Amino acid sequence: ASTEIAEGSVGVGTGATVGKAAGIAGAMKGGVGTWAVRAGDVVVGALVVVNAVGDVRDARGEILAGGRGPDGGPVDGLRYLAEGRAPFGAGERATNTTLAVVATNAALSKLELQSLAQVASDALARRITPYGTLFDGDVVFAASTADVTAASPLQPEALVALAVPEAVERAVRLARG
């Protein structure tokens, strides 16, 4: 146990890659990222392992980490697939799973935890494009310690929508390969 959390190309993030729509050879490193946000007494944290077919985009929608073509130039995976091109290269098969755990100290019911996980999944879809494809096995888990009462029912959801994108960015920005 430690207050230091390793991020980037560590642990389960060691072999993680992103931007594989046009082929595994052009993929960039994915990894592990974490972030937490607080509002009053409510804290929401996110831990994400980014290993996706899609590209990772920043807050402006620009590709932060994604595929590279044979010439080394960027390949927008979403546009590549939208044009009807085949995923991956000839004979390639990729396995992809983006995992996220979101946790809060706010007291939430089972239904509210399910909603929190859905909001986290939506946040992943805003940063990873495409997200949740036929070739992705993405999953989000949500947990609560139920220590405090949220100021409103939507407060934890809003906080998770802020934490998850930062965790995704950190996963690829801190990855080395």
Side-chain angles (χ1 to χ4, degrees):
S2 170
T3 57
E4 299 290 321
I5 299 172
E7 296 177 88
S9 303
V10 297
V12 70
T14 302
T17 54
V18 299
K20 294 175 266 200
I24 296 170
M28 294 180 78
K29 288 296 294 173
V32 177
T34 187
W35 196 251
V37 290
R38 171 189 286 270
D41 291 334
V42 177
V43 178
V44 173
L47 177 69
V48 180
V49 179
V50 182
N51 184 41
V53 169
D55 305 316
V56 174
R57 295 179 182 271
D58 64 17
R60 294 182 313 264
E62 296 175 16
I63 295 175
L64 179 63
R68 300 285 178 239
D71 63 354
V75 173
D76 183 322
L78 189 58
R79 292 192 187 281
Y80 179 90
L81 295 172
E83 292 168 357
R85 296 181 183 167
F88 317 116
E92 288 182 343
R93 185 150 168 87
T95 55
N96 314 283
T97 302
T98 295
L99 305 170
V101 177
V102 293
T104 182
N105 63 344
L108 301 177
S109 69
K110 287 182 184 179
L111 184 60
E112 289 168 326
L113 277 173
Q114 181 180 354
S115 184
L116 191 70
Q118 183 61 54
V119 170
S121 184
D122 292 346
L124 289 169
R126 285 191 296 276
R127 289 300 177 97
I128 302 170
T129 60
Y131 172 77
T133 74
L134 180 64
F135 299 101
D136 287 296
D138 304 331
V139 66
V140 177
F141 299 95
S144 169
T145 62
D147 291 332
V148 301
T149 301
S152 78
L154 296 181
Q155 184 182 27
E157 291 184 7
L159 292 172
V160 85
L162 295 172
V164 169
E166 292 297 326
V168 170
E169 274 199 42
R170 290 177 65 83
V172 296
R173 286 189 189 278
L174 297 172
R176 301 289 176 253

